[in-house]
Amino acid sequence: MSQENMDDYIQQGIHGIREIKPDERRKFLGTLRERVVVVLTKQQVREPGTYKEIEDLMKKNKDATLFLNGTMDYNEMSDYIKIANKIGSKFIISTNKEANTDLGLVLAYDHAINKEDIYIKKQKEQIEVQKHENHFSQFFKKIF
């Protein structure tokens, strides 16, 4: 073993294995952005009920793991845990107290998939958009 390899081996013994992209891993609850299927913010996870899109994506991506933010109250994430159990998806509660992230839920693979759009609009925003579209279409129906 060369001196450089020996130094690396000793450093790993002292400090642990060097992590790739530690800031990104903290943000995405222990995984990398390139592996992510979908995320929800803590605020979205706290909303009453669940996002249907999450359940649908969990069903379509059964080999993906659901990462939940362990700094949140268990009751806030329990509905998503129930969904994971029902579908048979693996889930992990990430409890890194040093991680300062606004994410509450991450569905990700153990390999890169490089999905571009991983964010879901808040349910309230979706309802407002639907209301706006309905008013808009009713307006045009009255005109024509």
Side-chain angles (χ1 to χ4, degrees), residues 13-95:
I14 295 170
H15 302 289
I17 297 173
R18 202 176 298 151
E19 228 179 37
I20 299 170
K21 300 181 180 180
D23 292 337
E24 190 173 304
R25 285 181 185 273
R26 281 189 286 273
K27 178 177 180 172
F28 290 99
L29 305 178
T31 192
L32 299 170
R33 165 65 178 87
E34 66 191 17
R35 300 174 176 184
V36 175
V37 176
V38 66
V39 300
L40 289 180
T41 64
K42 289 180 192 175
Q43 185 178 351
Q44 287 174 302
V45 173
R46 287 181 179 121
E47 290 176 9
T50 60
Y51 280 71
K52 175 123 176 62
E53 297 95 329
I54 299 299
E55 185 171 355
D56 293 344
L57 287 167
M58 286 172 68
K59 286 177 182 174
K60 289 178 188 168
N61 300 278
K62 287 188 178 190
D63 292 337
T65 301
L66 183 68
F67 293 84
L68 296 160
N69 192 326
T71 63
M72 297 177 64
D73 187 81
Y74 179 81
N75 292 328
E76 296 170 334
M77 52 185 165
S78 65
D79 288 339
Y80 291 102
I81 292 171
K82 288 174 189 171
I83 293 170
N85 284 327
K86 182 176 82 173
I87 293 171
S89 294
K90 186 169 57 171
F91 70 90
I92 295 172
I93 297 176
S94 178
T95 56

Side-chain angles (χ1 to χ4, degrees), residues 8 27 35 55 66 75 78 80-81 88 96 98 104 106 112 119 121 123 128 138:
D8 286 344
K27 178 177 180 172
R35 300 174 176 184
E55 185 171 355
L66 183 68
N75 292 328
S78 65
Y80 291 102
I81 292 171
N96 185 351
E98 296 164 13
V106 176
Y119 293 92
K121 287 183 181 178
Q123 288 178 347
E128 291 300 316
Q138 288 174 354

